[in-house]
Amino acid sequence: MLTATGRSASYVTMRAQRIHPAAYEALTEALARIFWYKPELAEFIRVRSEEYPELVVGLDFTDYKIRFASAFVARLKAGEDRFRDLTLSIMLEVAQRNSFPSLKRHENSEKLLAEARDAVAELRTWTDRLQGLLEERAAVEAEQAAAEEREKYRRGFTERLAELKEEFLRLQMETNRQQAGREFEMLLNGLFRLHDMQPRLAYELEYEQIDGSFTFDTDDYVIEAKWLKEAVEAGRLREFNDKVRSKGKNALGLFVSVNGFTSGARAVFREGTSFITMDGTDLFCVLDDRVRLDELLARKKRHANETGSCYFPASLMLGD
């Protein structure tokens, strides 16, 4: 659940927890022990502080390692709310170290390696205690990433839908109606693809032509699309009904007629149908983002199953 600031409730809970002071002390000791050369430790700190340059400004990297490591960790601790994620990342990274190349090259390597391992082990006792906090942080980050991905998809979806709407309005003004009809099929194909319905453009069988097909809710639909000057008459619906039934008893159909269907045509398929219908008003409601295509098709299908009628306008869903 998101708060008013857009952050999840779990994120707020996580922020309320504090890192134990002894964990900071263990981090200081580990940083000073796992590097022998000052420049290596300085580089480690600089790289991990790239997003927060204030953490390293004024640090004297020529001083004793324990001193500038302590100064760095003190800054992390003082700004815990701001630097918590960075602190946890550094603690976890250091606690997982099991190799210390620069110490192996030293003449007193055995003693130095033992001290480094002890320091890392001590820090690990604290990261183990913080594991719940680390897991919660990971869960929050995954939740936020998923939310960002959903928002990115939503923006892309909305933009593409708006483009299809503009294309529909342009086709209304197209003087070459034959050309408009061909482009209308492409528009529908784009709309079904946008809703992940696996559309297929017009194709031909041995004795007939199919305007196209798509898949929705595990069902395969045969589609016929018309943009005629007048409303579609009953005869065209009968032909389409026969076409759908010839595909098998589980086949379904969608007949799209921008200028609608005559009352007589709707009456013929009021009590038994193998298809559902969509008119220009339905289509515009979808393109105008007033109703989702999948939700509209689901309601049309349910209405057909319950009543036998091929006709269910989007306006009934919207309360118009």
Side-chain angles (χ1 to χ4, degrees), residues 14-300:
M14 185 180 74
R15 283 298 189 189
Q17 300 181 44
R18 313 300 296 180
I19 299 174
H20 197 283
Y24 285 105
E25 294 176 8
L27 176 61
T28 300
E29 185 69 15
L31 287 175
R33 295 297 181 186
I34 64 177
F35 298 100
W36 174 250
Y37 299 104
K38 294 178 185 179
E40 288 182 321
L41 175 57
E43 180 67 11
F44 177 91
I45 291 174
R46 286 195 183 98
V47 169
R48 282 144 191 82
S49 303
E50 285 179 348
E51 293 186 19
Y52 305 102
E54 63 269 30
L55 286 171
V56 296
V57 171
L59 286 184
D60 183 3
F61 290 116
T62 64
D63 201 352
Y64 293 112
K65 289 181 296 179
I66 190 67
R67 287 185 179 177
F68 68 75
S70 178
F72 171 67
V73 173
R75 293 181 181 186
L76 292 175
K77 180 179 178 182
E80 180 171 331
D81 288 341
R82 175 170 168 76
F83 305 127
R84 176 187 297 257
D85 288 349
L86 175 62
T87 301
L88 291 172
S89 294
I90 293 175
M91 284 183 172
L92 188 60
E93 179 183 355
V94 174
Q96 292 175 336
R97 287 213 173 197
N98 54 25
S99 176
F100 314 99
S102 67
L103 301 181
K104 289 182 179 180
R105 299 192 296 268
H106 196 274
E107 60 183 14
N108 198 16
S109 62
E110 186 174 339
K111 176 177 181 295
L112 295 175
L113 286 170
E115 291 175 347
R117 293 190 184 102
D118 288 345
V120 168
E122 174 63 21
L123 178 61
R124 192 178 300 119
T125 65
W126 289 103
T127 57
D128 288 346
R129 298 180 193 183
L130 290 169
Q131 193 60 39
L133 190 60
L134 292 165
E135 291 173 355
E136 187 175 0
R137 187 193 72 169
V140 169
E141 290 175 348
E143 176 187 336
Q144 291 173 334
E148 291 172 1
E149 187 64 25
R150 288 193 298 270
E151 177 61 18
K152 180 181 177 181
Y153 172 80
R154 188 198 64 79
R155 288 197 303 268
F157 181 95
T158 301
E159 291 171 0
R160 179 57 182 144
L161 195 65
E163 292 173 357
L164 291 171
K165 175 184 172 182
E166 290 300 315
E167 178 67 5
F168 180 72
L169 295 175
R170 183 190 69 79
L171 290 178
Q172 285 184 317
M173 308 301 294
E174 175 63 58
T175 56
N176 185 337
R177 298 317 300 166
Q178 186 175 8
Q179 176 67 21
R182 288 193 295 268
E183 294 183 12
F184 180 53
E185 290 182 12
M186 297 295 294
L187 184 150
L188 290 177
N189 189 67
L191 182 62
F192 292 128
R193 182 179 293 111
L194 183 63
H195 288 81
D196 296 325
M197 294 182 182
Q198 304 170 38
R200 181 182 177 188
L201 287 173
Y203 58 96
E204 292 186 4
L205 299 178
E206 186 175 358
Y207 300 108
E208 63 180 331
Q209 178 176 344
I210 306 296
D211 281 2
S213 64
F214 66 93
T215 300
F216 170 61
D217 195 22
T218 72
D219 294 316
D220 292 322
Y221 284 75
V222 175
I223 180 172
E224 187 155 334
K226 300 295 181 186
W227 197 332
L228 307 175
K229 292 182 180 180
E230 310 85 11
V232 165
E233 297 279 357
R236 289 184 182 272
L237 290 188
R238 288 194 183 95
E239 292 174 1
F240 183 61
N241 188 58
D242 292 342
K243 184 184 296 185
V244 174
R245 290 192 182 280
S246 70
K247 302 298 178 290
K249 66 177 183 179
N250 294 324
L252 298 170
L254 172 65
F255 198 117
V256 182
S257 171
V258 175
N259 285 322
F261 308 87
T262 65
S263 58
R266 295 199 302 268
V268 171
F269 294 96
R270 186 168 52 199
E271 298 180 356
T273 183
S274 64
F275 61 90
I276 56 178
T277 58
M278 178 181 287
D279 60 22
T281 301
D282 294 335
L283 185 57
F284 190 80
C285 286
V286 172
L287 295 172
D288 201 37
D289 206 14
R290 297 174 62 192
V291 61
R292 282 183 59 95
L293 177 62
D294 48 2
E295 294 174 355
L296 179 58
L297 292 179
R299 286 293 299 274
K300 286 178 177 289

